[in-house]
């Protein structure tokens, strides 16, 4: 049975597990493994230090992104918003400039496919980042002046990566700190 947005938001406030919301239906989120959580935390901490005092805010895993036009709520691994309108909604953000998903076996296809297509409808979104947990690889999808999404990949050979949406550059070593690849 489909839920309204209001019912979903109320349920989510009291739920012990997180659910994403797609057009009235909820989907429980899988728990993340150590590498996933560590990479997301590393990036969020680095970004938080970078944007401090700028008016931008960094959110990690527990903050929802709303795609109002498609009736969706997702939980990005890391999200940055610099839009003052996002201060009006403490439980979710509508105007992110940067969304990051750390890939896992269970979510990779969705993160690359339908979720990315949904995120592309956010006019404020400038970059969508996918971070690999099996090897050093960061995929930056950037919206160009014509509105097309252009991919730039970074690997261990690059030693650093750049996020243009927040004028941020960091080393791959810092992003992958404490990660042991199998």
């Amino acid at each position: 049975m489909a839920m309204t947005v209001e019912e979903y938001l109320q349920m989510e406030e009291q739920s012990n597990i997180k659910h994403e919301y797609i057009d009235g239906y909820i989907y429980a989120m899988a728990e993340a493994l150590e590498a996933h959580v560590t990479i997301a935390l590393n990036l969020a901490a680095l970004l938080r230090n970078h944007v401090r005092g700028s008016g931008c805010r960094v959110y990690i895993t527990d903050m929802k992104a709303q795609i109002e036009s498609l009736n969706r709520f997702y939980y990005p691994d890391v999200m940055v918003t610099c839009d003052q309108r996002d201060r009006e909604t403490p439980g979710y953000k509508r105007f992110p400039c940067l969304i990051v998903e750390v890939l896992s076996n269970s979510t990779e296809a969705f993160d690359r496919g339908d979720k990315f297509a949904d995120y592309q409808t956010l006019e404020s979104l400038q970059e969508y980042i996918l971070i690999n947990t099996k090897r050093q690889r960061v995929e930056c999808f950037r919206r160009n002046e014509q509105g097309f999404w252009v991919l730039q990949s970074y690997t261990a050979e690059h030693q650093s990566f750049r996020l243009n949406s927040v004028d941020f550059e960091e080393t791959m070593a810092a992003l992958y700190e404490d990660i042991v690849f199998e």
Side-chain angles (χ1 to χ4, degrees):
M1 186 165 109
M3 298 180 113
T4 66
V5 167
E6 294 74 22
E7 290 169 332
Y8 163 72
L9 291 172
Q10 185 175 21
M11 181 209 72
E12 206 61 3
E13 275 185 33
Q14 297 164 18
S15 178
N16 292 331
I17 58 171
K18 296 184 295 190
H19 301 84
E20 293 188 320
Y21 176 90
I22 301 175
D23 210 20
Y25 295 92
I26 60 169
Y27 301 88
M29 294 187 61
E31 291 187 9
L33 298 177
E34 183 177 354
H36 184 129
V37 173
T38 301
I39 291 167
L41 181 59
N42 288 348
L43 181 60
L46 294 164
L47 283 169
R48 174 69 182 114
N49 285 333
H50 177 71
V51 303
R52 185 172 273 122
S54 71
C56 295
R57 299 278 177 97
V58 178
Y59 298 98
I60 189 165
T61 62
D62 285 336
M63 181 57 69
K64 293 178 283 300
Q66 181 186 30
I67 307 169
E68 196 168 7
S69 64
L70 299 177
N71 200 23
R72 311 253 192 287
F73 285 89
Y74 293 127
Y75 282 96
D77 290 312
V78 179
M79 172 173 50
V80 177
T81 179
C82 301
D83 193 308
Q84 295 300 311
R85 294 173 292 178
D86 273 330
R87 305 275 171 95
E88 300 165 10
T89 51
Y92 56 91
K93 303 302 164 199
R94 298 175 296 159
F95 306 101
C97 60
L98 171 66
I99 290 180
V100 179
E101 295 289 359
V102 179
L103 299 174
S104 62
N105 290 338
S106 62
T107 65
E108 183 170 358
F110 186 54
D111 289 344
R112 289 184 180 286
D114 289 345
K115 187 183 270 189
F116 182 30
D118 290 348
Y119 282 146
Q120 288 177 47
T121 67
L122 292 169
E123 290 182 19
S124 62
L125 190 64
Q126 299 168 35
E127 283 181 304
Y128 181 61
I129 312 302
L130 298 174
I131 302 177
N132 200 304
T133 57
K134 297 177 186 130
R135 64 179 185 265
Q136 288 190 9
R137 182 175 173 84
V138 176
E139 296 171 70
C140 298
F141 292 90
R142 296 187 180 108
R143 191 188 315 252
N144 68 15
E145 298 79 31
Q146 294 79 33
F148 295 111
W149 289 89
V150 179
L151 170 63
Q152 181 170 7
S153 295
Y154 299 93
T155 61
E157 293 78 42
H158 292 96
Q159 300 193 352
S160 67
F161 65 99
R162 177 158 184 75
L163 305 178
N164 293 344
S165 60
V166 289
D167 191 26
F168 174 79
E169 190 162 335
E170 189 51 79
T171 65
M172 296 293 271
L175 177 65
Y176 284 97
E177 184 179 354
D178 296 328
I179 300 300
V180 178
F181 297 101
E182 298 172 9

